[in-house]
Amino acid sequence: SKGTYPYYMLKEIDEQPAVMRRIVDAYLPADGSVTVSADLLTALDQADRLYIVAAGTSYHAGLVGSYLFEQVAGLPTEVHLASEFGYHMPLLSAHPFFLLLSQSGETADSREVLVNVKKQGYPVLTMTNTAGSTLSREADYTMLLHAGPEIAVASTKAYTAQIAVQAVLAKALGLHRNLTAAKALNLRHELSLAAAGMQTLMDEKDQIKNLVGQYFPNQAHAFYIGRGEDYPLSLEAALKLKEVSYVHTEGFAAGELKHGTIALIEEDTPVLAFITDDATAAHTRSNLQETEARGAHTMTIVSEHLAQPTDNIVLPDVAPLLSALVGIVPAQLIAYYAALGKGLDVDKPRNLAKSVTVE
Ligand code: M6R
């Protein structure tokens, strides 16, 4: 039940710190080891390339995960949309391993991919929130998200859970391979930090509600921008805002704007920038200024160690590879308050179903 919450979406956003702690309890004992099946690790270790396949928010979580698998586990990784991959399979590596990400475990496009790759004899892992779901039953391996039931159509806690569980697997494989990057990532500690950071942001939700009032009084279009890992984060932030508030929102790689899309910026168009990456912070700031010079109403969402006094939302610092865990929280709240402000049914946006069981 929603309990005292007006909508499931707000309840589920609010549950994210607890979900992070559940994932710690399920997978990361205090001795620094990782609880992942030895068979799964052996099979994954034999792969020369990981293919992550998913739809919607799960696809966006996979994009974040690809950085983890490459940087923590040294495993080359590609991320694909299930609806494309089912019918236009790329040339595969010699020893592919498939990771299907699906909150529901029932998405038809993802199932189609699973059936195809199983037919070809390739190993498949499903990460899902739903034990006993179709994708879980048909895959060789399952890792559960432990997010608890997600009722709102807009996926929130399943996204952060998918990132965290991918981090668990990347860490486990990296340790199995004896990699320094995996040993250096104290995931138990980092996920606890992320949980605390999420809580801090939830506690500031009235401030975010005020910002929504200022930035989205009546806007038809908006943009989220970011570079590096802030780019997939921008894609997810944009999906949240458009699906629940019907504000047409695009997520963009900050450096790509001036190759065409900046033509869309008008007086007061909201442009929201994620800045969590040291290497590209200055570049993203200058891209944002370019939009401001053309009339954009800019908002910055910035990691604490990069923050300046004029920034709008400050994100508690976490390990750079996990910045999306905290970065997404204000964007989820922005989407929620924008929809609420318009009097929309936040949990059941028009034209959408919770799980998409047709191709
Ligand atoms: O259950 P799945 O993770 O396979 O669902 C995938 C998408 O349908 C889902 O993430 C959808 O994009 C959500 N409405 C996003 O909030």
Side-chain angles (χ1 to χ4, degrees):
S1 101
K2 292 190 293 236
T4 56
Y5 292 91
Y7 285 101
Y8 280 107
M9 184 178 177
L10 186 63
K11 173 172 183 271
E12 290 164 4
I13 295 170
D14 205 19
E15 281 169 353
Q16 291 177 110
V19 172
M20 293 298 111
R21 288 190 286 268
R22 272 209 297 276
I23 290 170
V24 167
D25 289 345
Y27 292 111
L28 298 164
D31 64 3
S33 64
V34 185
T35 312
V36 170
S37 120
D39 286 356
L40 165 58
L41 285 182
T42 308
L44 193 55
D45 191 32
Q46 284 160 10
D48 60 358
R49 186 166 284 264
L50 179 64
Y51 292 83
I52 301 178
V53 187
T57 287
S58 295
Y59 170 72
H60 296 152
L63 292 172
V64 175
S66 69
Y67 289 82
L68 288 156
F69 289 111
E70 294 204 334
Q71 292 183 32
V72 178
L75 180 59
T77 302
E78 290 177 20
V79 193
H80 291 272
L81 289 168
S83 55
E84 288 295 313
F85 199 93
Y87 301 92
H88 303 279
M89 213 183 273
L91 201 56
L92 299 176
S93 65
H95 302 289
F97 189 102
F98 286 84
L99 168 54
L100 295 179
L101 291 175
S102 178
Q103 187 284 130
S104 62
E106 301 297 344
T107 298
D109 289 325
S110 303
R111 165 115 204 282
E112 176 70 23
V113 173
L114 187 135
V115 169
N116 278 346
V117 301
K118 287 271 26 155
K119 230 183 266 166
Q120 299 179 50
Y122 299 129
V124 182
L125 162 67
T126 294
M127 278 185 192
T128 182
N129 205 22
T130 322
S133 59
T134 307
L135 287 174
S136 169
R137 279 187 276 112
E138 295 180 357
D140 302 292
Y141 310 96
T142 294
M143 287 177 79
L144 290 176
L145 299 178
H146 297 289
E150 192 182 65
I151 310 292
V153 164
S155 183
T156 54
K157 60 180 179 168
Y159 170 79
T160 43
Q162 279 172 335
I163 293 171
V165 175
Q166 287 178 99
V168 164
L169 183 59
K171 160 109 184 167
L173 180 63
L175 286 183
H176 183 84
R177 294 176 161 185
N178 208 15
L179 299 183
T180 314
K183 288 185 245 174
L185 177 67
N186 183 346
L187 195 56
R188 191 179 150 92
H189 174 67
E190 292 298 340
L191 291 183
S192 307
L193 266 187
M198 289 165 159
Q199 191 57 57
T200 303
L201 289 161
M202 287 304 299
D203 294 343
E204 291 164 4
K205 58 177 174 306
D206 287 345
Q207 181 211 334
I208 290 171
K209 189 177 179 181
N210 284 337
L211 285 171
V212 168
Q214 294 163 33
Y215 280 75
F216 295 93
N218 224 336
Q219 303 298 338
H221 306 280
F223 294 89
Y224 273 100
I225 62 171
R227 288 172 177 251
E229 285 159 71
D230 293 337
Y231 170 43
L233 174 57
S234 300
L235 295 177
E236 173 57 11
L239 177 59
K240 283 294 86 77
L241 185 57
K242 70 183 120 181
E243 75 177 323
V244 298
S245 79
Y246 315 151
V247 176
H248 167 230
T249 313
E250 298 299 328
F252 247 84
E256 271 302 295
L257 272 185
K258 57 175 164 295
H259 295 285
T261 310
I262 201 165
L264 293 171
I265 304 296
E266 294 174 347
E267 202 57 35
D268 283 337
T269 305
V271 179
L272 295 77
F274 287 111
I275 303 173
T276 73
D277 174 20
D278 299 30
T280 55
H283 279 117
T284 303
R285 285 195 190 275
S286 82
N287 296 139
L288 192 65
Q289 274 156 17
E290 288 156 11
T291 69
E292 200 167 76
R294 286 150 184 92
H297 193 189
T298 60
M299 187 194 292
T300 47
I301 307 173
V302 187
S303 290
E304 204 167 347
H305 71 285
L306 292 167
Q308 298 172 2
T310 50
D311 285 323
N312 302 99
I313 298 175
V314 176
L315 303 171
D317 280 331
V318 296
L321 285 166
L322 299 172
S323 56
L325 290 178
V326 288
I328 199 60
V329 175
Q332 293 168 340
L333 290 169
I334 287 170
Y336 174 76
Y337 287 118
L340 200 68
K342 286 179 154 182
L344 299 171
D345 184 345
V346 179
D347 288 338
K348 290 200 188 71
R350 68 186 178 205
N351 309 340
L352 291 172
K354 180 61 183 163
S355 63
V356 182
T357 52
V358 289
E359 284 171 36

